[in-house]
Amino acid sequence: MRRLLWQGSWRGNTGRRSGTTGTSRIGPYRRPLLLLCFHPSACLVLDGKVVAFAEEERLSRRKHHKGSRSCAVAAAYCLSEAGITLADVVETAIAFNLAWPTPSNICTDAELIAELLAPALFGHHRPRQVTVVEHHLAHAASAFHPSGFDEAAVLVVDGSGDGVSATLAHGTADGMKALRQFPFSQSLGWFYETVAEHLGLGDWTSSGKLMGLAGSGNPDRYTLDFLTARAGGSSRRS
């Protein structure tokens, strides 16, 4: 996994804009790295290579493993695939700030860590701390670094993560720079969910049905006159 930098407006793990330059490094790793994700899941990286990945919902048979942040069973599966234990892992990272909006680079809250990785599944071993990776930085890295491109524009759009709902970044072999970010108050993802709920298609856990139906729709039937563009490329409700 290549080195990943964030600079300029991408500062720390706060999800806030800042003019101060910050630098973070992801890889290369010579020892086991366990990554935990926002939708409960786990990924094991050995020597910069993905060895195993699993989503908790595939094991619990509960969509998005709703109602729980635990990644324990997925993590146990990944470790078993590599033939190692949680005690062998030198660093565990999570792709969102558990303490947001309070800035944090690490989480040392024993109860929160136990919620993510139930000690009973790992011989009662629990990491002393978990490294916090900014949510949109994690999104951007997971898209850019495996892509094979030496340079690319990277667009991240979701509901929100660490206070940010959209990020436009420039990725290169040497690093990644956030060019612009939009706060959660301007979230297209939450707007999408609101439309899905209005149509009776459920909350964010099932609103993907709207995406599936969109291909069968007529784009000329409705207009979005209630949205107007304004200077800078953003939009607002009329």
Side-chain angles (χ1 to χ4, degrees), residues 98-119:
L98 291 161
W100 188 86
T102 302
S104 177
N105 292 317
I106 60 171
C107 173
T108 57
D109 188 311
E111 289 187 5
L112 283 175
I113 295 174
E115 181 183 352
L116 295 170
L117 295 169

Side-chain angles (χ1 to χ4, degrees), residues 129-175:
Q129 68 178 43
V130 173
T131 300
V132 175
V133 178
E134 184 186 351
H135 188 67
H136 275 216
L137 172 62
H139 270 306
S142 66
F144 175 69
H145 288 295
S147 71
F149 292 112
D150 293 327
E151 183 178 14
V154 183
L155 177 64
V156 178
V157 181
D158 61 5
S160 65
D162 298 343
V164 178
S165 65
T167 295
L168 177 62
H170 178 210
T172 68
D174 294 324

